[in-house]
Coordinates of all heavy atoms in Angstrom, one line a residue:
S201 N 3.7 3.9 22.6 CA 3.0 2.7 22.7 C 1.5 3.0 22.5 O 1.0 4.1 22.7 CB 3.2 2.0 24.1 OG 2.6 2.9 25.1
I202 N 0.8 2.0 21.9 CA -0.6 2.1 21.6 C -1.3 0.9 22.0 O -1.0 -0.2 21.6 CB -0.9 2.3 20.1 CG1 0.0 3.3 19.5 CG2 -2.3 2.6 19.8 CD1 0.0 3.4 17.9
N203 N -2.2 1.0 23.0 CA -2.9 -0.1 23.7 C -1.9 -1.1 24.1 O -1.0 -0.8 24.8 CB -4.0 -0.7 22.7 CG -5.0 0.3 22.4 OD1 -5.4 1.2 23.2 ND2 -5.7 0.2 21.2
D204 N -2.0 -2.3 23.5 CA -1.0 -3.4 23.9 C 0.2 -3.5 23.0 O 1.0 -4.4 23.0 CB -1.7 -4.8 23.9 CG -2.3 -5.2 22.5 OD1 -2.5 -4.3 21.7 OD2 -2.4 -6.4 22.3
I205 N 0.3 -2.5 22.0 CA 1.4 -2.5 21.0 C 2.5 -1.6 21.6 O 2.4 -0.4 21.7 CB 0.9 -2.0 19.7 CG1 -0.2 -2.9 19.2 CG2 2.1 -2.0 18.7 CD1 -0.8 -2.4 17.9
S206 N 3.6 -2.2 21.9 CA 4.8 -1.5 22.4 C 6.0 -2.3 22.1 O 6.0 -3.5 22.2 CB 4.6 -1.3 23.9 OG 5.8 -0.6 24.5
P207 N 7.1 -1.6 21.7 CA 7.2 -0.2 21.4 C 6.8 0.2 20.0 O 6.5 -0.7 19.2 CB 8.7 0.0 21.6 CG 9.3 -1.2 21.1 CD 8.4 -2.3 21.5
I208 N 6.6 1.4 19.8 CA 6.4 2.0 18.4 C 7.7 2.8 18.0 O 8.2 3.6 18.8 CB 5.3 3.0 18.4 CG1 4.0 2.2 18.8 CG2 5.1 3.6 17.0 CD1 3.5 1.2 17.9
P209 N 8.4 2.4 17.0 CA 8.0 1.4 16.0 C 8.1 0.0 16.4 O 8.8 -0.3 17.4 CB 9.1 1.6 14.8 CG 9.7 2.9 15.1 CD 9.6 3.1 16.7
Q210 N 7.4 -0.9 15.8 CA 7.4 -2.3 16.1 C 8.5 -3.0 15.5 O 8.7 -3.0 14.3 CB 6.1 -3.0 15.6 CG 4.9 -2.8 16.5 CD 5.0 -3.9 17.7 OE1 4.7 -5.1 17.5 NE2 5.3 -3.4 18.8
P211 N 9.4 -3.7 16.3 CA 10.5 -4.4 15.7 C 10.1 -5.4 14.6 O 9.2 -6.2 14.8 CB 11.1 -5.1 16.9 CG 10.7 -4.3 18.1 CD 9.3 -3.8 17.7
G212 N 10.7 -5.3 13.4 CA 10.4 -6.2 12.4 C 9.2 -5.8 11.6 O 8.9 -6.5 10.6
A213 N 8.4 -4.8 12.0 CA 7.2 -4.4 11.2 C 7.5 -3.8 9.8 O 8.3 -2.8 9.7 CB 6.4 -3.4 12.0
R214 N 7.0 -4.4 8.8 CA 7.3 -4.0 7.4 C 6.1 -4.0 6.6 O 6.2 -3.9 5.3 CB 8.5 -4.6 6.8 CG 8.4 -6.1 6.8 CD 9.6 -6.8 6.3 NE 9.4 -8.3 6.3 CZ 8.9 -8.9 5.2 NH1 8.5 -8.3 4.2 NH2 8.7 -10.2 5.2
I215 N 4.9 -4.3 7.1 CA 3.7 -4.4 6.4 C 2.6 -3.5 7.1 O 2.4 -3.7 8.3 CB 3.1 -5.8 6.2 CG1 4.2 -6.7 5.7 CG2 1.9 -5.9 5.4 CD1 3.9 -8.2 5.7
I216 N 2.1 -2.5 6.4 CA 1.1 -1.6 7.1 C -0.1 -1.5 6.2 O -0.1 -1.6 5.0 CB 1.7 -0.3 7.4 CG1 2.1 0.5 6.2 CG2 2.8 -0.4 8.5 CD1 2.6 1.9 6.4
I217 N -1.3 -1.1 6.9 CA -2.5 -0.7 6.1 C -2.7 0.7 6.6 O -2.8 1.0 7.8 CB -3.7 -1.6 6.5 CG1 -3.3 -3.1 6.1 CG2 -4.9 -1.2 5.8 CD1 -4.4 -4.0 6.7
A218 N -2.9 1.6 5.6 CA -3.0 3.1 5.9 C -4.1 3.6 5.0 O -4.3 3.2 3.9 CB -1.7 3.8 5.8
P219 N -4.8 4.7 5.4 CA -5.9 5.3 4.7 C -5.4 6.2 3.5 O -4.2 6.6 3.5 CB -6.6 6.2 5.7 CG -5.5 6.6 6.7 CD -4.6 5.4 6.8
H220 N -6.3 6.4 2.6 CA -5.9 7.3 1.5 C -6.9 8.4 1.2 O -7.1 8.9 0.1 CB -5.8 6.4 0.2 CG -7.0 5.6 -0.2 ND1 -7.0 4.3 -0.4 CD2 -8.3 6.0 -0.5 CE1 -8.2 3.8 -0.7 NE2 -9.0 4.8 -0.8
A221 N -7.5 8.9 2.3 CA -8.4 10.1 2.2 C -7.5 11.3 2.1 O -6.3 11.2 2.3 CB -9.4 10.1 3.3
G222 N -8.2 12.5 1.9 CA -7.4 13.7 2.0 C -6.7 13.9 3.3 O -7.2 13.4 4.4
Y223 N -5.6 14.6 3.4 CA -4.8 14.6 4.6 C -5.6 15.3 5.8 O -5.2 15.0 6.9 CB -3.5 15.3 4.3 CG -2.4 14.4 3.7 CD1 -2.8 13.1 3.4 CD2 -1.2 14.9 3.4 CE1 -1.8 12.2 2.9 CE2 -0.2 14.0 2.9 CZ -0.5 12.7 2.6 OH 0.4 11.9 2.1
S224 N -6.5 16.2 5.5 CA -7.2 16.9 6.5 C -8.1 15.8 7.3 O -8.4 16.1 8.5 CB -8.1 18.0 6.0 OG -9.0 17.5 5.1
Y225 N -8.4 14.7 6.7 CA -9.1 13.6 7.3 C -8.3 12.5 7.8 O -8.5 12.0 8.9 CB -10.2 13.1 6.3 CG -11.2 14.1 5.8 CD1 -11.0 14.7 4.6 CD2 -12.3 14.4 6.6 CE1 -12.0 15.6 4.1 CE2 -13.3 15.3 6.1 CZ -13.1 15.9 4.9 OH -14.0 16.8 4.4
S226 N -7.3 12.1 7.0 CA -6.5 10.9 7.3 C -5.1 11.1 7.6 O -4.4 10.1 8.0 CB -6.7 9.9 6.1 OG -5.9 10.4 5.0
G227 N -4.6 12.2 7.4 CA -3.1 12.4 7.7 C -2.6 12.0 9.0 O -1.7 11.2 9.1

Side-chain angles (χ1 to χ4, degrees):
S201 64
I202 310 171
N203 296 334
D204 63 335
I205 303 176
S206 180
I208 300 294
Q210 275 281 285
R214 56 187 181 85
I215 305 168
I216 61 172
I217 300 174
H220 57 239
Y223 277 3
S224 61
Y225 299 98
S226 69

